[in-house]
Amino acid sequence: MKIIGIDLGTTNSAAAIWQNGQVELIPNRLKEYLTPSVVHIGQDGTVLVGKAAQERLLTHPNATASVFKRYMGTDRKLTLAKKSYSAPELSAFVLKSLKEDAENYLGEAVTEAVISVPAYFNNTQRKATILAGELAGLKVERLVNEPTAAAIAYGLHEKPEHTQFIVVDLGGGTFDVSIMEYFEGVLEVHASAGDNFLGGEDFTEILVNKFLSSLNLNKTSLNPNELQLVQAQMELAKRQLNQADLIHVEPFIKAQKQPISLYKEDFLKLSEPLWQRLQRPIETALRDAKLKPSDLDEVILVGGATRMQYFRSLIAKMFRRMPSANLDPDLVVAMGASIQAGLKARDAALEDLVLTDVCPYSLGIGIHNENDHLGTQGNLFSPIIERNTVIPCSRISAYNTITDYQTAMTLEFFQGEHRLVKNNISLGKLEVRLPKARKGEESVTVRLSYDINGVLEVDVEVVSTGEKHYKMILNTPSQITDKEIAASKEKLSALKFHPREQEVNITLLARAERLYEGRLGQEREEILNALRWFESVLEKQNNSEIAEAQTRFGEFLDQVEQDRLF
Ligand code: AMP
C-alpha cells in the first residue's frame, strides 16, 4: 500500500511519493506540481480547487476561500455560497484534490498520507489537520514538522550525530526559522521564531508602490483589475531584478505612457526595513538555542521567496557559508514528507520532536487605520504577544488617544495573523474611560498574559489616573465531536466535484472571464469571441480537437495578459 507525502501549505500545496528508491513529485490535473490552496464553491454546489479556484478569487470573492490554514484549530468559519465551512473542511477539499491526482498518477487507490505542519502548530491545530485528512478520505497516522521534512529532503538524517542546522522558510506571507539538531535518530527543533507579517509579497509591494509613485498615482486611482495587473507585473519585475541591475517596464495600464525604469539598487534600498526585519527572528532563534551562527553545520532554504538573490547573499554573509538550495524551495517540504512516508511504510520513520508550549497565534488589539480612506479595511491589528512565544508569557504595549478630548477608548482583542482585524478572530472587548485631553496626551497600557491552558488575561491601566481594568478570556477552541465529524462528512459529500478531465477547461474559462471583466472595448470583444469559440469547441466533445483548442486558447490568454494594448 502506498503512502503519499503532502505539504498542505498556506498558499500552495504539493504531493510526492517515495518509489523505486527515490522521490517522485506528483503532477496535478494541470500537469503542475504546485496546487494553490484555494477553494471555490459555486451556487450549484460544485467545488473547484487550485488554479481554477484561484482565478475566481478576484471575480467571485464571496464564493472563494484562501489562506484558511491560518484558521486551523480555531472555531472560525468561512462562508462560501451561503454555507459556512471550517478550516479543516476547506483543507479537506485541497487534500481530496491531491489524493485524486495521486491516484491518477499511480493508477491505484491512495488512502494514507503523511502531512506536514508548521513546527509551531499546537495540539489543536495538529488534530485539525488530521481531521482534514479524514474528511478527505485519507488516514493520517503521522504528521511531520515542515522544517523536519525539509531537513530530511536534504538528507540531514544521514549526517553524523549532533549535526546542527537552521531551516529558513520565507514564503509569500510568512517567515519561519527553526534551529534543529540530529541526534540518535531524532530530529529535534531546538528553537523556532518567525514573523507572520513578512513574506515575498511585501517585497512585491515595495515595487508596486515605487512603480505607482513614479507615475504620481496611488492604489486608489486604479480599479481592482488594474491593480492586479500592476501586482502581477511587479511580481515579474522582482524576479527579473535577481539577474538584472536595471529593468524597463513598458506601458501596460492606461495611466502609463512611457516605459518606467526600475533599478535594483533602489529596490534594495527601499526594502532595507524588510531586510532588517528578516534578521530579527534569525537572531531570536539563535539566542534561544544559545548558538552562534558559526556553530551551525548547514543552512537550508525553504519557500519561494528564498529565491531572491539578495536574500541568499544576506544569509551567506550572516552564516559565512553558502545555504543549501539545490532542491526546489517550493517543493522540498512535500519531498521530505514523502521520504518520511516511505520510511514509515518500512517502519523506519524518524522521530521528530518539537518545542511545544508556544502560543500558537498572535494576540493583540485593533487600532485605528489611517489609510482606510474608503472604509473598506477597518482597524489594523496590533499584535502584543506574537505567535510562537513560549508560554506562559506576558507582554505589554502602550496606546495613545487619537482625537482631541477623546473620553473613552474601546479595546477589542483579537487572535490571528492578518494585518486587518476583520480577518482575525475577535475574543472580546473592554471599554475604558479617559480624562479629557489633547490627542496623544492620554494613554493606556495593555498587558496580555497567556497561559498553558489557553487562558488569556487582560490588564489595562490608564496611565494618567492609574485606573485599572481586568478581563479574563478563555481561549480554547471547542472540541469537535464524532457527531460533528459525521455531519461534516455528510455536508461535504453533498457537494459535487467537476470531472478531473474538465478542470483544464474550467481553469481556462475562469481565467478568460477574469480577463474579460478587467478589459474594455475592442480587447474585451476579442476575449469574448475567443471564449465563445472555445465553448463551441467544447460542445462538440471531440477530444483531440479540444486538446488543440486548449493550447490555442491558453496561448491567446497568455498574450492578452502580456500584451500592452494601451
Ligand atoms: P511560497 O508561499 O513558498 O510559494 O512563496 C511564494 C513567494 O515566493 C512569492 O512571494 C513569490 O513572489 C516568491 N518567489 C517565487 N519565485 C521567486 C523568484 N524567482 N524571485 C523572487 N521571489 C520569488
Side-chain angles (χ1 to χ4, degrees), residues 11-12 171-172 200-201 235 238-239 242 303-305 307-308 330:
T11 38
N12 287 304
E201 306 308 325
E235 169 71 37
K238 179 176 79 172
R239 293 174 191 219
N242 283 330
R307 290 202 186 89
M308 281 188 291
D330 276 316

mmCIF file of all heavy atoms in Angstrom, residues 11-12 171-172 200-201 235 238-239 242 303-305 307-308 330, ligand 1:
data_model
loop_
_atom_site.group_PDB
_atom_site.id
_atom_site.type_symbol
_atom_site.label_atom_id
_atom_site.label_comp_id
_atom_site.label_asym_id
_atom_site.label_seq_id
_atom_site.Cartn_x
_atom_site.Cartn_y
_atom_site.Cartn_z
ATOM 1 N N THR A 11 -0.315 28.968 0.975
ATOM 2 C CA THR A 11 -0.641 29.461 -0.367
ATOM 3 C C THR A 11 -0.698 28.326 -1.390
ATOM 4 O O THR A 11 -1.568 28.314 -2.241
ATOM 5 C CB THR A 11 0.381 30.512 -0.857
ATOM 6 O OG1 THR A 11 1.676 30.118 -0.411
ATOM 7 C CG2 THR A 11 0.080 31.873 -0.321
ATOM 8 N N ASN A 12 0.242 27.396 -1.300
ATOM 9 C CA ASN A 12 0.284 26.289 -2.255
ATOM 10 C C ASN A 12 0.458 24.972 -1.527
ATOM 11 O O ASN A 12 1.071 24.923 -0.461
ATOM 12 C CB ASN A 12 1.490 26.450 -3.194
ATOM 13 C CG ASN A 12 1.276 27.566 -4.181
ATOM 14 O OD1 ASN A 12 0.304 27.573 -4.924
ATOM 15 N ND2 ASN A 12 2.164 28.538 -4.167
ATOM 16 N N GLY A 171 8.060 32.309 2.801
ATOM 17 C CA GLY A 171 7.005 32.064 1.816
ATOM 18 C C GLY A 171 6.452 33.377 1.292
ATOM 19 O O GLY A 171 7.104 34.415 1.361
ATOM 20 N N GLY A 172 5.205 33.322 0.778
ATOM 21 C CA GLY A 172 4.586 34.525 0.247
ATOM 22 C C GLY A 172 4.245 35.530 1.344
ATOM 23 O O GLY A 172 4.398 36.729 1.167
ATOM 24 N N GLY A 200 7.420 37.170 0.797
ATOM 25 C CA GLY A 200 7.765 37.641 -0.542
ATOM 26 C C GLY A 200 6.833 38.745 -1.040
ATOM 27 O O GLY A 200 7.249 39.648 -1.755
ATOM 28 N N GLU A 201 5.546 38.673 -0.640
ATOM 29 C CA GLU A 201 4.582 39.669 -1.118
ATOM 30 C C GLU A 201 4.954 41.077 -0.668
ATOM 31 O O GLU A 201 4.642 42.056 -1.341
ATOM 32 C CB GLU A 201 3.160 39.352 -0.609
ATOM 33 C CG GLU A 201 2.658 37.949 -0.920
ATOM 34 C CD GLU A 201 2.780 37.560 -2.377
ATOM 35 O OE1 GLU A 201 2.608 38.449 -3.224
ATOM 36 O OE2 GLU A 201 3.069 36.390 -2.656
ATOM 37 N N GLU A 235 5.530 41.512 -9.643
ATOM 38 C CA GLU A 235 5.987 40.176 -9.247
ATOM 39 C C GLU A 235 7.052 39.701 -10.251
ATOM 40 O O GLU A 235 8.120 39.214 -9.877
ATOM 41 C CB GLU A 235 4.775 39.231 -9.222
ATOM 42 C CG GLU A 235 5.088 37.750 -9.086
ATOM 43 C CD GLU A 235 5.586 37.357 -7.716
ATOM 44 O OE1 GLU A 235 5.105 37.912 -6.722
ATOM 45 O OE2 GLU A 235 6.500 36.498 -7.655
ATOM 46 N N LYS A 238 10.236 41.757 -9.835
ATOM 47 C CA LYS A 238 11.005 41.308 -8.666
ATOM 48 C C LYS A 238 11.903 40.131 -9.050
ATOM 49 O O LYS A 238 13.073 40.075 -8.666
ATOM 50 C CB LYS A 238 10.027 40.909 -7.553
ATOM 51 C CG LYS A 238 10.678 40.415 -6.292
ATOM 52 C CD LYS A 238 9.643 40.129 -5.213
ATOM 53 C CE LYS A 238 8.945 38.798 -5.441
ATOM 54 N NZ LYS A 238 8.067 38.417 -4.310
ATOM 55 N N ARG A 239 11.344 39.210 -9.829
ATOM 56 C CA ARG A 239 12.141 38.052 -10.257
ATOM 57 C C ARG A 239 13.251 38.468 -11.216
ATOM 58 O O ARG A 239 14.372 38.002 -11.120
ATOM 59 C CB ARG A 239 11.241 37.015 -10.925
ATOM 60 C CG ARG A 239 10.277 36.417 -9.922
ATOM 61 C CD ARG A 239 9.274 35.509 -10.567
ATOM 62 N NE ARG A 239 8.249 35.194 -9.568
ATOM 63 C CZ ARG A 239 7.695 34.024 -9.415
ATOM 64 N NH1 ARG A 239 8.031 33.041 -10.185
ATOM 65 N NH2 ARG A 239 6.793 33.817 -8.492
ATOM 66 N N ASN A 242 16.516 39.822 -9.859
ATOM 67 C CA ASN A 242 17.516 38.878 -9.347
ATOM 68 C C ASN A 242 18.716 38.819 -10.280
ATOM 69 O O ASN A 242 19.840 38.590 -9.853
ATOM 70 C CB ASN A 242 16.927 37.469 -9.248
ATOM 71 C CG ASN A 242 16.021 37.320 -8.045
ATOM 72 O OD1 ASN A 242 16.219 37.984 -7.038
ATOM 73 N ND2 ASN A 242 15.042 36.447 -8.148
ATOM 74 N N GLY A 303 10.731 27.741 0.746
ATOM 75 C CA GLY A 303 9.793 28.820 0.403
ATOM 76 C C GLY A 303 10.265 29.596 -0.822
ATOM 77 O O GLY A 303 11.460 29.860 -0.987
ATOM 78 N N GLY A 304 9.289 29.963 -1.669
ATOM 79 C CA GLY A 304 9.596 30.580 -2.958
ATOM 80 C C GLY A 304 10.431 31.859 -2.850
ATOM 81 O O GLY A 304 11.271 32.125 -3.711
ATOM 82 N N ALA A 305 10.201 32.634 -1.796
ATOM 83 C CA ALA A 305 10.866 33.935 -1.723
ATOM 84 C C ALA A 305 12.358 33.816 -1.377
ATOM 85 O O ALA A 305 13.096 34.796 -1.497
ATOM 86 C CB ALA A 305 10.147 34.836 -0.733
ATOM 87 N N ARG A 307 14.261 32.493 -3.174
ATOM 88 C CA ARG A 307 14.952 32.575 -4.473
ATOM 89 C C ARG A 307 15.525 33.968 -4.701
ATOM 90 O O ARG A 307 16.295 34.166 -5.623
ATOM 91 C CB ARG A 307 13.979 32.255 -5.601
ATOM 92 C CG ARG A 307 13.559 30.814 -5.639
ATOM 93 C CD ARG A 307 13.059 30.455 -7.029
ATOM 94 N NE ARG A 307 12.530 29.116 -7.026
ATOM 95 C CZ ARG A 307 11.269 28.830 -6.743
ATOM 96 N NH1 ARG A 307 10.420 29.792 -6.471
ATOM 97 N NH2 ARG A 307 10.858 27.584 -6.744
ATOM 98 N N MET A 308 15.113 34.934 -3.894
ATOM 99 C CA MET A 308 15.657 36.286 -4.070
ATOM 100 C C MET A 308 17.164 36.243 -3.841
ATOM 101 O O MET A 308 17.622 35.807 -2.789
ATOM 102 C CB MET A 308 15.003 37.269 -3.085
ATOM 103 C CG MET A 308 13.632 37.733 -3.526
ATOM 104 S SD MET A 308 12.996 39.042 -2.471
ATOM 105 C CE MET A 308 12.721 38.150 -0.968
ATOM 106 N N ASP A 330 10.091 25.423 -3.166
ATOM 107 C CA ASP A 330 8.643 25.297 -3.054
ATOM 108 C C ASP A 330 8.205 23.853 -2.888
ATOM 109 O O ASP A 330 7.072 23.584 -2.531
ATOM 110 C CB ASP A 330 7.964 25.853 -4.324
ATOM 111 C CG ASP A 330 7.796 27.353 -4.242
ATOM 112 O OD1 ASP A 330 7.392 27.831 -3.175
ATOM 113 O OD2 ASP A 330 8.083 28.028 -5.240
HETATM 114 P P1 AMP B 1 5.585 30.216 -1.397
HETATM 115 O O1 AMP B 1 4.464 30.687 -0.499
HETATM 116 O O2 AMP B 1 6.620 29.444 -0.708
HETATM 117 O O3 AMP B 1 5.079 29.581 -2.662
HETATM 118 O O4 AMP B 1 6.348 31.541 -1.864
HETATM 119 C C1 AMP B 1 5.832 32.407 -2.795
HETATM 120 C C2 AMP B 1 6.675 33.665 -2.789
HETATM 121 O O5 AMP B 1 7.932 33.402 -3.410
HETATM 122 C C3 AMP B 1 6.029 34.794 -3.543
HETATM 123 O O6 AMP B 1 6.095 35.982 -2.783
HETATM 124 C C4 AMP B 1 6.897 34.908 -4.779
HETATM 125 O O7 AMP B 1 6.979 36.245 -5.216
HETATM 126 C C5 AMP B 1 8.245 34.443 -4.300
HETATM 127 N N1 AMP B 1 9.103 33.963 -5.393
HETATM 128 C C6 AMP B 1 8.940 32.864 -6.145
HETATM 129 N N2 AMP B 1 9.925 32.780 -7.088
HETATM 130 C C7 AMP B 1 10.732 33.867 -6.931
HETATM 131 C C8 AMP B 1 11.916 34.356 -7.579
HETATM 132 N N3 AMP B 1 12.472 33.720 -8.602
HETATM 133 N N4 AMP B 1 12.465 35.500 -7.109
HETATM 134 C C9 AMP B 1 11.910 36.159 -6.083
HETATM 135 N N5 AMP B 1 10.808 35.766 -5.435
HETATM 136 C C10 AMP B 1 10.206 34.627 -5.843
#
